[in-house]
Amino acid sequence: MSPLWTSQALAEATGGKASSPFEVTGVAFDSREVTPGDLFVALKGENADGHDFIPKALAAGAGGLLVDRDVNGPFVKVADTTRGLDALGKASRDRTAAKIIGVTGSAGKTGTKEALFRALERMSFGAAHRSLKSYNNHVGVPLSLARMPVETRFGVFEMGMNHAGELRTLTRMVRPHVAIVTTIAPAHIEYFGSEEKIAEAKAEIFEGLIPDGTAIIPYDSPHVALLYNIATRYAGRVVTFGAGDGADVRVVEEMPAERGGTLVTAQLRTARLSFTVAMRGRHWVNNALAVLSAVEAVGGDLAQAGLALAEMAGLPGRGARRKLRTADGGEALLIDEAYNANPASMAATLHQLGEERAGRRIAVLGAMKELGGLSESLHAGLADAVKEANVGLAVLVGDEMAPLADALAGDVPVERAKDVSEVLEFVPGRLANGDVILVKGSNSVGLSKLIEKLAMSEVA
């Protein structure tokens, strides 16, 4: 394997000084994730100093260290390791000839990023790169850039934010050829006050576009005009996607696929394409349109992208589906949406639940965080989606769910739980043959623990 970085290249990129010659094949800032050959970046956080974990990183096989002091082991010393990681990310972006795509949005950004990667990886025979997990913040983005091999042909980077100005910094580091906004919803509205302000903050992604770059925006959003007007200041071309007749990339026809998912015929700017979206739910059709818009913008193979969408299985925490053995000897279906939640994604996945064939539909819904003064109304506002999904039991987790419980009273059976520990006690034993159970909530609620416990009964 050719080196990702040499000590000389690291020193030149960061303005640091190497202790000795060495090479690394990867980059990590969490000692628990270090694999043999990685560069371990010793970041200083509020509660911990990465330098304290250097022995653990070396024991895991780290091939080099980025540090701010002399240490045992091969290293490059810089004045500040956080700034050093930023510089390394920027240097990686400077040296690549890859087409770069940036993705943001209130919901769907990780799924869209993963689908784009799979499409581009397929058509480039493995020469695509993307940010792993949800590494989309001020340390995750430069890390993802720093990990990009020089031979990369396509790079896909997720960018997130919960305050104005954050995306501006990230996108100027990524400098995308294509910038996507998946959707606008009241996620993190506590910090913004209105959806319009969220839309303005998401539109910061366009500020990093290279000259003549492409902005891709959701046509069906009530904020499409705002996004369009901002995008035109920075983009050479603005492409809209959605179900509406006026969208540049739009659905011409769709129907349920035999084995789940959706058969779609879409009109793109330069072609018409029929394909299958394996992931279930109307929101995934929308994500697929964004993916195809980006593939078309970078001159990619649309047919290969369609095949990638047909082969894409559910992602852990974002739609993965598992069959579970129930106490009565039958089977239940688990839909794992436990990674995160906001009002838009909650409504979308509840709609998906309503389309599932089931003896009984169970919705385990965790509180949605960072909604500020709108929390009560937005939680209560999920009642219609729960009712329309014909939910037979709603398990509501967290104090913030009280308004939804009140709104469902008399219409849907409700169980309340203060936290995930209570849910672990009674939910697994309640499943019966033919049940479909949806688990969704903000990541901090910890419903992933319920997923782990339920997975212990997964049918092999």
Side-chain angles (χ1 to χ4, degrees), residues 264-280:
V264 180
T265 297
Q267 180 63 54
L268 284 73
R269 290 189 305 106
T270 60
R272 179 170 288 200
L273 182 70
S274 295
F275 59 98
T276 299
V277 183
M279 295 287 284
R280 302 178 188 225

Side-chain angles (χ1 to χ4, degrees), residues 370-436:
E370 299 180 356
L371 298 180
L374 296 176
S375 180
E376 287 192 14
S377 62
L378 291 173
H379 280 91
L382 294 174
D384 286 345
V386 173
K387 295 173 188 176
E388 289 168 7
N390 292 314
V391 170
L393 173 63
V395 181
L396 307 182
V397 187
D399 293 339
E400 297 94 331
M401 278 291 180
L404 177 57
D406 292 341
L408 293 174
D411 294 316
V412 177
V414 171
E415 297 268 5
R416 292 290 310 282
K418 185 174 181 60
D419 54 38
V420 70
S421 63
E422 294 183 14
V423 177
L424 295 175
E425 293 297 321
F426 71 87
V427 166
R430 299 281 289 276
L431 294 181
N433 184 46
D435 284 350
V436 177

Side-chain angles (χ1 to χ4, degrees), residues 57-255:
L58 291 172
L65 309 165
L66 188 67
V67 295
D68 64 11
R69 66 200 73 165
D70 291 348
V71 296
N72 293 324
F75 64 81
V76 169
K77 184 168 72 172
V78 295
D80 181 283
T81 52
T82 298
R83 291 181 180 177
L85 179 59
D86 284 350
L88 192 59
K90 291 173 182 175
S92 181
R93 177 64 183 88
D94 287 342
R95 73 180 184 176
T96 188
K99 294 288 188 180
I100 303 296
I101 301 170
V103 183
T104 194
S106 300
K109 54 184 177 292
T110 300
T112 299
K113 178 255 300 182
E114 288 295 323
L116 254 175
F117 168 73
R118 295 182 192 200
L120 296 169
E121 184 183 45
R122 185 185 182 103
M123 68 187 65
S124 65
F125 303 99
H129 173 80
R130 94 290 207 185
S131 46
L132 295 178
K133 300 183 178 179
S134 288
Y135 281 159
N136 61 20
N137 63 5
H138 65 289
V139 290
V141 169
L143 173 72
S144 298
L145 283 166
R147 288 173 164 176
M148 182 167 55
V150 70
E151 302 88 358
T152 298
R153 289 180 55 198
F154 299 101
V156 188
F157 297 91
E158 179 180 337
M159 288 175 266
M161 61 89 198
N162 57 20
H163 289 87
E166 288 182 86
L167 268 177
R168 181 174 294 117
T169 300
L170 297 178
T171 190
R172 288 176 177 174
M173 186 180 297
V174 173
R175 289 187 288 120
H177 295 81
V178 177
I180 302 171
V181 175
T182 58
T183 189
I184 303 295
H188 312 300
I189 200 167
E190 175 182 4
Y191 305 115
F192 294 95
S194 69
E195 275 196 19
E196 182 175 333
K197 291 296 184 183
I198 292 172
E200 290 174 354
K202 292 295 185 185
E204 290 174 11
I205 193 173
F206 305 134
E207 297 181 26
L209 279 167
I210 65 163
D212 297 322
T214 300
I216 297 175
I217 61 176
Y219 182 80
D220 303 319
S221 170
H223 309 288
V224 62
L226 183 152
L227 292 171
Y228 193 95
N229 290 336
I230 295 176
T232 54
R233 302 175 199 168
Y234 305 99
R237 176 187 292 123
V238 181
V239 176
T240 60
F241 68 93
D245 288 341
D248 298 315
V249 176
R250 63 190 183 279
V251 174
V252 175
E253 185 178 11
E254 62 180 302
M255 64 183 69

Side-chain angles (χ1 to χ4, degrees), residues 254-263 355:
E254 62 180 302
M255 64 183 69
E258 245 181 65
R259 298 183 180 180
T262 311
L263 294 172
E355 294 185 336

